[in-house]
Amino acid sequence: MSTNVFSQVETLLELVERPSRYINHEWGASALDPNADYRACMMYPDTYEVGQANQGLAILYSILNAQEGVSCERAYTPWIDMADCMRALDIPLYGLESGDALKDFDLIGIQYPHEMAVTNILESLDLAQIPLFSKERSLDDPLIIAGGPSVLNPEPIADFFDCVLIGESEEQIIKFVDAHRKALAEGLSREDMLFALSQVPGVYVPQFYAELPKEEQSRAIYAPIKEGVPEKVKRQIVTGFKNTDPLASHIVPYAATVHDRVAIEILRGCSRGCRFCQAGMAYRPVRERTADQIVSAVLEGLKKTGYDEVSLTSLSTTDHSQIEEILTRLNKRLAITGVRISLPSQRMDSFGVEMAALVSGSKKGGLTFAPEAGSQRLRNVINKNITEEDIEKSIEGAFKAGWRRIKLYFMIGLPSETDDDLRAIGELAQRAYEIARDNCEPSQRSAIQITCSAAIFVPKSHTPYQWFGQVHPDEIKRRIEVLKESMPQKGVRLNYHASDTSYLEAVLARGDRSLAQLIYEVWKRGARFDAWTEQAQEKLWFETAEELGFNLLELACKSYGYKDPLPWAHIDSLVLNNYLEMEDLRSKMSQITEDCTFGLCTYCGVCTRTNADIDLAGDRLVE
Amino acid sequence: MLNNQIGFKLRVRYQKISRLRYLSHLEVLRAIERSIRRAELPFALTQGFSPHMKIAYSAALPLGAESLDEYFDVNLTDFVDTKEALKRLQDNSPENLYPLDAKYIDPKSDSLTKALTISEYEISLSSPQLSPEHIQLALDEILNRNYIEFDKKGKIKKLELQTRLYKKPQLTTIDTGKYQLNLITRALDSGSLRPDILIDALAREIEIAAPDVELCTRAIKFKDLGLDLRFDRFRVFESVLIKRTAQYIEEVTGEIKRGI
Ligand code: SF4
């Protein structure tokens, strides 16, 4: 029987910040199937405001609730004030919908959205009073599974999870839950059940894999220790993306969430091929919904929710082959309703600015661009296919159209970066300022705001830069000085984050299974909400690591050779390793690689190795 | 443009109860605007760079308070029959934030915050260790002094009471350890007497007047565990439930009438 804890939680609601995080009963939240015999919960390891906005979990929540006999709830990490109270009063973490303790559920799916969420995963499991390590759990505990963008290198968190779902889970989760229910009904032992689950495509069961002896590690570090489990776990791709429901969620939160609007995923994948970008490799091939489907989903979403804003989401929204048609039609339909349309990012060319202008109406807030690197040379190296002319044209276009505030994103510490490349950022900023001045009225010049934002590059698994060691912090410090000096005297502001978090991120992004021990220890000493700048405890991480014998800087800055075994080699992102190698070589020669949705197939392997294919709603034309 | 016309002003009375009493004022405003959009009422928009709904609300409730008598005024560009408008709103509202009544009012009439200056509250207090005398004495002490002092973001503020009290507050014993305080306040431009401020002051007064009365169980637990109790009232009261039962317009004659 399950224990309902909501009445206990209620005694705390007046004592914590933002109680609406904990009360559920939002408009559009699913009514649970009272006859369900299988109870699942999708959990996001951060606050309600961050997690509720996550589209991936929202999709799985809807899919599971539509299954006969299955009910699915939501859970988030309680903020520290609530967590402390719950822990002190022995109140376990609960499913938001029912208020029942999570430890009585059958399945808890936890999103691994980014590396800095690791301590919150442990914090949430611990608050739920569920054993943290997979090997400590029994059939009495819920099955704990992970999914999401960062599981492409699951090893640092592998010890905490019973199963890891690799790739897009819309179809996979149904097969997985079916197999789990069958195993429960048949009364299988935990080991047999996990084996049955390992047979579902794309399911990685960490305890059936172990580190190979050093001399046997030719390509991979981890290999099966149980007969019948796949040697390599393949990333799953939804076959009929177009046929999936575009309106992932119609829950209308009371608390202001980070993306508080209707979100319609208009296309999936991006093959522009930026060499630093994991998402650009890991969500191929590109698949678009049709304009008709998108327009009607937007209208339906607005009507169901009452939101006054809609976001057309994807990795590269303005690349949609029918984007102009979509925006024009939406503008027409939404005139005089006060509804805003937002695009998550701007493509840095004149078309990108035209599309931004199409939805901005008369309100021109800020416009954000990501040239990523200052010089053309370095942009070619990273395959950011935008030219000097594109950059100038888009800044000119932005100021001509009436924007006065722009933000430019850069990365520092990219492979092959020289001081000249850094100085090129300053020169670009200077040019941006001049273009801005020349393209607005003299009386408007004081309103010009140009911000350059520089982040430290973090190499990720399954990208052409997976072998590249991060640049040492001392050297980064020097480079930041070069960058600072290169900045124009006036008109431009520089933001940079020189925090140690990017090194932790790098360690976890390319780390191996031994890190579980460190994550556990750091969490035990009080680390949580590491992704929140004011909560982050980098010092604690570094001190604990030293005590346990990890050299974090060495791990972050370590470079691999192409022949070296990698900790994530047993996870197959479907992009060929040879392709990544070739991309890295082309990078070293500053050679660009075309986007296969605009040009020809470049043989990354995704389409050739599966039955997936690029699926566009129309032709993508090069300007 | 439609937006320039005076149009129609619909006044809606609603309740905020049960779990949704934990919503902040801002969260309530957002939730109501979304209900209106879902109901597809022909709401008017403001002009300018970022048009938004022309809507106004009665004064904010303290966090955690229930109310049976909240209001909003929304401008409509077209006339919709009152019953029909109310039904559409009800169909699109959660039951704990639910429209009860609607009526068209003169578009030029006073705004809600200006009009509804009198608020009636029913406050349920529970505290097994306090006797009725403890509370009554502390209350009288505060009323005789005729002001309360409280901390507003680090600044000490002083609030005069008599002009802010429409009537003398009444304390009733409901059951052992269970009390009810009936309060009718008058909002002034120079600041209003929020019931939670009064209860916090009352709690502090009780602690001074009866220093040997024990803290309530939750407070003891929190103190042992080093947790923050956040508000003074929870040191002496096990639970405090503030409910606004009615809001009134005060006529020049001194008479009061409801918002709808
Ligand atoms: S296989 Fe070819 S067409 Fe398919 S995503 Fe890779 S490069 Fe593009």
Side-chain angles (χ1 to χ4, degrees):
Chain A
M1 232 7 262
S2 46
T3 6
N4 195 284
V5 298
F6 191 76
S7 57
Q8 284 170 275
V9 171
E10 215 175 348
T11 64
L12 300 172
L13 291 180
E14 276 166 308
L15 306 180
V16 296
E17 279 175 42
R18 305 197 199 192
S20 61
R21 286 168 167 164
Y22 309 106
I23 59 172
N24 174 46
H25 286 215
E26 306 98 320
W27 188 260
S30 286
L32 297 178
D33 177 356
N35 299 319
D37 59 1
Y38 185 88
R39 300 186 70 181
C41 180
M42 292 295 124
M43 181 197 280
Y44 191 92
D46 206 314
T47 61
Y48 174 90
E49 296 91 292
V50 181
Q52 177 52 41
N54 183 271
Q55 271 178 292
L57 279 190
I59 294 173
L60 299 186
Y61 172 80
S62 309
I63 290 177
L64 287 178
N65 273 317
Q67 298 298 301
E68 186 84 35
V70 177
S71 74
C72 183
E73 308 192 22
R74 298 165 290 151
Y76 307 95
T77 315
W79 185 244
I80 49 178
D81 56 353
M82 184 57 134
D84 289 348
C85 288
M86 289 173 70
R87 198 170 267 130
L89 302 178
D90 201 27
I91 305 172
L93 188 57
Y94 55 97
L96 207 51
E97 277 76 358
S98 65
D100 289 342
L102 290 180
K103 56 184 171 184
D104 300 322
F105 280 52
D106 297 295
L107 177 76
I108 314 280
I110 304 181
Q111 168 99 315
Y112 183 28
H114 52 78
E115 290 78 12
M116 296 322 294
V118 287
T119 49
N120 264 22
I121 291 177
L122 296 192
E123 173 75 353
S124 310
L125 281 175
D126 185 67
L127 282 168
Q129 302 176 358
I130 295 168
L132 303 183
F133 288 90
S134 172
K135 62 172 192 289
E136 291 168 355
R137 291 193 286 265
S138 71
L139 278 175
D140 293 335
D141 297 305
L143 193 72
I144 309 294
I145 67 172
S150 292
V151 299
L152 280 180
N153 177 18
E155 287 314 315
I157 55 159
D159 283 349
F160 307 121
F161 286 94
D162 303 321
C163 302
V164 182
L165 273 52
I166 311 288
E168 301 171 358
S169 297
E170 284 106 324
E171 287 156 356
Q172 186 187 24
I173 194 82
I174 300 177
K175 293 183 205 149
F176 183 87
V177 165
D178 282 347
H180 188 209
R181 290 173 83 182
K182 191 160 162 264
L184 289 172
E186 286 169 359
L188 296 189
S189 68
R190 193 166 138 90
E191 162 126 12
D192 289 347
M193 178 173 83
L194 289 174
F195 180 75
L197 294 172
S198 76
Q199 302 303 299
V200 177
V203 175
Y204 174 53
V205 180
Q207 62 171 259
F208 294 151
Y209 297 74
E211 193 173 334
L212 287 164
K214 281 270 175 306
E215 59 283 5
E216 282 171 44
Q217 293 181 4
S218 62
R219 294 241 90 161
I221 296 182
Y222 299 97
I225 47 169
K226 191 173 173 83
E227 189 136 356
V229 301
E231 190 139 347
K232 280 189 152 214
V233 181
K234 276 201 167 79
R235 171 172 73 91
Q236 298 301 296
I237 299 175
V238 168
T239 44
F241 170 72
K242 247 196 213 157
N243 306 324
T244 58
D245 187 356
L247 191 59
S249 163
H250 27 86
I251 292 181
V252 190
Y254 293 112
T257 60
V258 291
H259 303 293
D260 209 1
R261 53 187 87 99
V262 176
I264 304 292
E265 188 188 16
I266 69 165
L267 70 101
R268 190 171 287 180
C270 169
S271 43
R272 295 205 143 228
C274 296
R275 291 175 178 133
F276 53 84
C277 177
Q278 194 185 46
M281 297 292 154
Y283 287 96
R284 292 172 181 225
V286 172
R287 291 145 289 163
E288 298 179 343
R289 296 188 193 280
T290 63
D292 287 344
Q293 198 191 18
I294 294 164
V295 171
S296 61
V298 167
L299 298 176
E300 188 199 335
L302 290 168
K303 188 169 156 46
K304 275 192 173 160
T305 60
Y307 269 123
D308 61 357
E309 187 174 355
V310 59
S311 175
L312 306 180
T313 67
S314 77
L315 293 168
S316 56
T317 292
T318 23
D319 280 343
H320 192 291
S321 53
Q322 299 169 317
I323 189 68
E324 194 162 4
E325 178 193 339
I326 295 166
L327 296 180
T328 314
R329 280 168 67 180
L330 285 177
N331 269 344
K332 219 179 261 166
R333 295 295 294 266
L334 299 176
I336 70 152
T337 58
V339 171
R340 290 183 304 279
I341 305 168
S342 61
L343 307 175
S345 58
Q346 256 64 60
R347 201 164 99 179
M348 199 162 198
D349 56 22
S350 354
F351 184 74
V353 176
E354 277 167 37
M355 291 305 104
L358 209 49
V359 296
S360 69
S362 52
K363 187 188 176 180
K364 301 276 192 297
L367 211 50
T368 300
F369 297 110
E372 311 289 6
S375 68
Q376 192 59 47
R377 184 200 75 81
L378 192 52
R379 281 195 298 274
N380 290 348
V381 165
I382 61 176
N383 205 40
K384 185 86 197 178
N385 286 334
I386 47 170
T387 60
E388 214 63 44
E389 199 193 330
D390 285 333
I391 296 178
E392 287 171 7
K393 280 250 174 74
S394 37
I395 296 171
E396 185 187 322
F399 281 86
K400 274 200 174 132
W403 274 283
R404 294 293 170 262
R405 268 193 299 138
I406 61 166
K407 204 172 189 179
L408 303 170
Y409 277 106
F410 297 95
M411 275 193 276
I412 48 177
L414 285 163
S416 87
E417 180 180 76
T418 64
D419 288 2
D420 282 344
D421 297 316
L422 294 166
R423 283 191 278 267
I425 297 178
E427 286 154 24
L428 201 161
Q430 173 67 30
R431 253 191 337 278
Y433 182 67
E434 284 161 13
I435 295 170
R437 238 185 17 206
D438 295 348
N439 286 285
C440 64
E441 304 280 310
S443 64
Q444 287 275 303
R445 283 183 189 159
S446 60
I448 297 176
Q449 265 187 51
I450 297 174
T451 310
C452 290
S453 197
I456 302 172
F457 166 62
V458 177
K460 298 274 165 121
S461 66
H462 301 282
T463 67
Y465 292 159
Q466 62 181 356
W467 296 280
F468 180 80
Q470 210 174 13
V471 176
H472 193 277
D474 295 341
E475 170 61 12
I476 287 287
K477 274 195 205 104
R478 193 194 64 80
R479 292 192 193 180
I480 287 174
E481 288 311 311
V482 176
L483 178 61
K484 272 180 14 200
E485 271 165 37
S486 78
M487 278 289 143
Q489 298 295 327
K490 56 176 262 202
V492 181
R493 228 187 26 220
L494 173 69
N495 287 335
Y496 55 90
H497 323 276
S499 83
D500 289 335
T501 310
S502 68
Y503 295 94
L504 295 178
E505 226 180 293
V507 169
L508 293 163
R510 298 190 308 154
D512 64 20
R513 209 178 271 195
S514 64
L515 288 172
Q517 200 200 341
L518 171 64
I519 297 168
Y520 173 70
E521 196 55 39
V522 178
W523 164 76
K524 234 174 67 183
R525 296 181 186 188
R528 52 183 162 169
F529 288 100
D530 283 308
W532 292 63
T533 326
E534 78 276 14
Q535 296 294 330
Q537 304 200 48
E538 293 99 351
K539 231 177 111 204
L540 185 68
W541 273 91
F542 279 86
E543 282 167 10
T544 312
E546 208 180 305
E547 266 178 55
L548 297 181
F550 292 94
N551 186 336
L552 293 185
L553 285 185
E554 202 177 287
L555 288 172
C557 303
K558 181 175 169 185
S559 287
Y560 291 98
Y562 294 145
K563 295 270 173 300
D564 286 342
L566 299 172
W568 53 91
H570 54 307
I571 304 298
D572 181 356
S573 77
L574 300 179
V575 173
L576 288 165
N577 212 51
N578 290 344
Y579 183 79
L580 298 179
E581 225 175 283
M582 190 189 74
E583 276 298 292
D584 189 39
L585 290 170
R586 292 176 73 90
S587 168
K588 289 189 169 123
M589 298 183 294
S590 316
Q591 278 183 13
I592 58 164
T593 299
E594 261 201 24
D595 180 339
C596 59
T597 57
F598 287 88
L600 297 171
C601 171
T602 56
Y603 298 101
C604 73
V606 174
C607 304
T608 42
R609 297 177 61 218
T610 64
N611 53 15
D613 214 338
I614 293 183
D615 187 8
L616 303 182
D619 281 337
R620 287 190 173 183
L621 300 173
V622 196
E623 272 179 273
Chain B
M1 276 282 289
L2 275 178
N3 294 350
N4 282 340
Q5 293 175 1
I6 296 185
F8 308 91
K9 201 176 211 172
L10 187 70
R11 174 162 294 177
V12 179
R13 186 167 80 84
Y14 67 96
Q15 64 181 13
K16 180 196 184 195
I17 54 163
S18 190
R19 277 196 202 205
L20 294 194
R21 72 190 172 94
Y22 297 109
L23 300 190
S24 71
H25 190 53
L26 206 68
E27 288 169 341
V28 169
L29 311 193
R30 267 198 307 260
I32 288 176
E33 292 194 21
R34 287 167 190 169
S35 304
I36 295 171
R37 283 183 180 272
R38 287 194 295 267
E40 297 186 310
L41 291 183
F43 55 84
L45 290 171
T46 60
Q47 302 218 286
F49 277 164
S50 51
H52 52 265
M53 198 180 284
K54 274 194 181 166
I55 186 166
Y57 302 85
S58 50
L61 283 164
L63 190 70
E66 291 195 317
S67 176
L68 303 177
D69 204 39
E70 295 301 293
Y71 296 86
F72 63 83
D73 289 347
V74 60
N75 288 50
L76 301 183
T77 54
D78 292 310
F79 182 82
V80 182
D81 176 65
T82 320
K83 264 201 194 133
E84 157 85 14
L86 181 63
K87 167 125 193 358
R88 265 152 68 179
L89 278 173
Q90 287 174 336
D91 289 347
N92 286 288
S93 300
E95 56 179 334
N96 292 336
L97 195 68
Y98 197 72
L100 302 168
D101 206 353
K103 188 183 138 189
Y104 282 98
I105 57 162
D106 178 354
K108 290 197 221 61
S109 50
D110 276 350
S111 74
L112 282 162
T113 41
K114 207 167 162 212
L116 295 170
T117 50
I118 307 292
S119 282
E120 189 169 352
Y121 296 96
E122 206 177 273
I123 304 163
S124 313
L125 303 166
S126 86
S127 180
Q129 62 272 45
L130 290 181
S131 70
E133 291 75 35
H134 279 131
I135 307 176
Q136 189 65 55
L137 274 175
L139 182 62
D140 290 344
E141 188 67 37
I142 291 175
L143 295 176
N144 287 337
R145 199 182 301 140
N146 197 28
Y147 67 83
I148 50 177
E149 280 183 332
F150 65 101
D151 191 323
K152 195 183 179 187
K153 291 177 189 150
K155 270 199 196 134
I156 301 296
K157 281 207 144 200
K158 204 167 167 178
L159 217 52
E160 189 271 340
L161 291 182
Q162 204 179 0
T163 43
R164 291 183 171 85
L165 288 170
Y166 183 78
K167 243 175 147 172
K168 189 167 181 259
Q170 287 298 319
L171 183 75
T172 335
T173 305
I174 305 291
D175 202 342
T176 34
K178 296 209 180 309
Y179 308 93
Q180 187 175 306
L181 184 67
N182 286 70
L183 182 69
I184 308 183
T185 62
R186 178 187 286 118
L188 301 181
D189 290 340
S190 54
S192 309
L193 172 64
R194 286 201 342 243
D196 51 328
I197 293 174
L198 179 68
I199 302 296
D200 279 337
L202 185 64
R204 288 194 296 272
E205 201 64 41
I206 292 170
E207 284 191 291
I208 297 168
D212 36 309
V213 168
E214 263 192 54
L215 294 177
C216 68
T217 22
R218 182 168 59 180
I220 295 171
K221 216 171 197 173
F222 267 57
K223 203 175 154 196
D224 288 350
L225 296 165
L227 298 175
D228 181 18
L229 213 44
R230 218 171 161 209
F231 299 111
D232 292 334
R233 52 185 177 275
F234 296 120
R235 296 167 59 81
V236 295
F237 296 113
E238 211 66 65
S239 76
V240 175
L241 178 57
I242 300 169
K243 186 194 271 179
R244 176 141 73 186
T245 49
Q247 298 194 74
Y248 304 94
I249 299 168
E250 188 174 24
E251 308 279 7
V252 265
T253 59
E255 263 169 68
I256 56 173
K257 62 166 204 216
R258 299 287 289 269
I260 288 190

